[in-house]
Amino acid sequence: MLFALAACDNTDTPSPVEPVSAPSPEDASEARDGLAGIWRPEGENPLHALVLENDGQLYLVGDHGHRGVRWEKQDDDTLLLSYLNTRDDDPLNQDPLTITLENPSLTLAGDGPFAGDYRRDASGVGTLEGQVVLPDDADIPDTSVLVLTLRDQGAADATPVVQRLTRLVVEDGKMPFRLYYNGDMIDDTHRYVVDARVILDGAVQFTTTAPHRVLNGASDGPTSLSLHAATAEPPFADTYWKLIQVGDEQTPPPQDQNTQAHLVFHSEGQQVKGSTGCNSLSGGYQNDDGRLTLEALATTKRACSGPDQAQAFTDALERTQRFEIQGQRLTLYGEGEQALAILQAEYLF
């Protein structure tokens, strides 16, 4: 069964739409000979690469208007592409395209955004591989959807670098994944993270409590993402809290080489780590039933350009005496009732 998933143009919760038929593994394997691989379009094209995986998964690298679902080579030399249109009320599309294959060249003729000439070429296409790990007692219905998102924390907006929606298929509590991205668009000075969510009937059931750092100096090995049951309110500790307001001032998006201002209160060792938006921050903390003591806070001394709230944020942290969590927001208070800073759980973005 192939599940067409409602498109997710931003990070709002996606939900499944009606399932459509998929070929049997035996038929699909025979029909895909010679087509599987990474194909780069010729000429000007918003699509960076068309990836046809051996198992029938379709990836559309660099095309933020569409998201690949499945592909099938039919007996009449027709390639059927199933993909999501992120800007359409009826998101599932299935385009039959006529194949002319002369390796390493491929021509797809017909109607639709992916008709054209391609060349087998993996240069400039990066891959991120790993697995998601579910809790031992997790009850996973067949209609669950896994959402994987690669983000640039230095970007001025919240548009994901890559977002992949696929049916969750778990074996022994784990599911492998692979993301393809446009390697030419990766900025060596930026920080990249990946997070995961499991969606059922439009609601988040499981999620990573903090994004996992990848690329640019992070571990080169497979990425393992541990998922936890989503709650109405995220836990104070081990959640990635993104700064959205200091005093009465909204937090501006990071610019130039600035990073996203955030805090993570690690339960192990009672350490707080994060960023002021300009410099890295670290220290200790004590949480006594909502009374919060921050200890020995220290920051790096990198010179930063552009607007930021680094000094105002560190001043607010030094004055913090307690906190409250309401919904997905963490509010820091001093002596009175005036909020010093407001942060939001990042994994819901």
Side-chain angles (χ1 to χ4, degrees):
M1 187 69 71
L2 165 64
F3 284 83
L5 311 175
C8 184
D9 195 27
N10 47 40
T11 50
D12 295 339
T13 299
S15 54
V17 296
E18 291 300 317
V20 297
S21 299
S24 68
E26 295 80 11
D27 292 343
S29 178
E30 293 177 1
R32 291 174 187 139
D33 289 346
L35 276 177
I38 299 176
W39 299 92
R40 300 285 299 275
E42 301 281 5
E44 294 293 328
N45 197 308
L47 178 69
H48 183 66
L50 182 77
V51 181
L52 309 177
E53 288 210 319
N54 287 322
D55 62 357
Q57 294 285 323
L58 170 65
Y59 293 80
L60 305 172
V61 182
D63 186 341
H64 292 290
H66 305 93
R67 293 196 175 94
V69 179
R70 301 281 300 185
W71 69 278
E72 175 191 356
K73 182 177 182 295
Q74 300 179 324
D75 292 337
D76 59 353
D77 286 333
T78 297
L79 178 66
L80 183 66
L81 299 182
S82 299
Y83 59 93
L84 303 175
N85 188 334
T86 62
R87 303 181 180 93
D88 197 329
D89 292 335
D90 183 21
L92 180 67
N93 293 265
Q94 291 185 293
D95 291 349
L97 301 170
T98 302
I99 302 165
T100 302
L101 177 62
E102 296 180 359
N103 267 315
S105 298
L106 170 69
T107 297
L108 301 178
D111 296 326
F114 306 112
D117 296 324
Y118 295 82
R119 187 173 185 82
R120 192 183 293 276
D121 181 4
S123 63
V125 179
T127 59
L128 179 66
E129 299 186 10
Q131 65 178 3
V132 294
V133 181
L134 277 295
D136 292 338
D137 58 352
D139 182 17
I140 309 296
D142 292 340
T143 53
S144 298
V145 177
L146 175 65
V147 183
L148 292 156
T149 308
L150 175 63
R151 308 178 191 277
D152 178 358
Q153 290 190 317
D157 58 33
T159 302
V161 177
V162 176
Q163 190 169 68
R164 179 71 177 175
L165 290 74
T166 186
R167 184 166 63 94
L168 184 67
V169 181
V170 176
E171 183 174 348
D172 296 329
K174 301 176 181 178
M175 177 179 170
F177 70 82
R178 182 182 294 112
L179 294 176
Y180 293 90
Y181 59 89
N182 183 350
D184 297 336
M185 300 301 293
I186 298 300
D187 189 326
D188 292 341
T189 66
H190 286 200
R191 181 186 179 102
Y192 293 87
V193 295
V194 63
D195 58 57
R197 306 192 303 270
V198 173
I199 309 295
L200 177 65
D201 297 331
V204 178
Q205 301 297 313
F206 298 92
T207 181
T208 46
T209 55
H212 184 88
R213 187 177 178 184
V214 293
L215 310 180
N216 290 356
S219 172
D220 293 332
T223 299
S224 183
L225 301 177
S226 296
L227 302 185
H228 306 275
T231 58
E233 292 182 347
F236 171 76
D238 300 320
T239 293
Y240 183 103
W241 296 103
K242 172 186 173 180
L243 182 67
I244 61 173
Q245 184 173 327
V246 177
D248 296 328
E249 297 290 331
Q250 299 294 313
T251 300
Q255 298 181 16
D256 299 326
Q257 296 185 16
N258 290 359
T259 60
Q260 184 181 81
H262 70 278
L263 296 174
V264 179
F265 297 90
H266 296 275
S267 57
E268 183 176 352
Q270 299 288 286
Q271 295 291 305
V272 58
K273 296 183 179 181
S275 171
T276 66
C278 175
N279 283 283
S280 297
L281 175 150
S282 63
Y285 76 93
Q286 297 292 330
N287 173 16
D288 183 14
D289 195 25
R291 301 295 299 179
L292 180 62
T293 302
L294 299 175
E295 304 168 336
L297 292 179
T299 65
T300 56
K301 303 299 182 182
R302 182 172 67 91
C304 302
S305 60
D308 67 69
Q309 296 177 322
Q311 188 60 53
F313 186 30
T314 53
D315 290 345
L317 294 177
E318 290 175 354
R319 295 164 54 198
T320 294
Q321 297 186 13
R322 65 183 181 89
F323 70 88
E324 290 182 359
I325 296 177
Q326 292 185 331
Q328 304 301 318
R329 292 193 172 188
L330 168 68
T331 303
L332 304 180
Y333 294 93
E335 292 183 354
E337 297 300 317
Q338 182 69 30
L340 299 177
I342 301 176
L343 303 95
Q344 185 156 335
E346 168 72 6
Y347 64 75
L348 290 181
F349 278 24

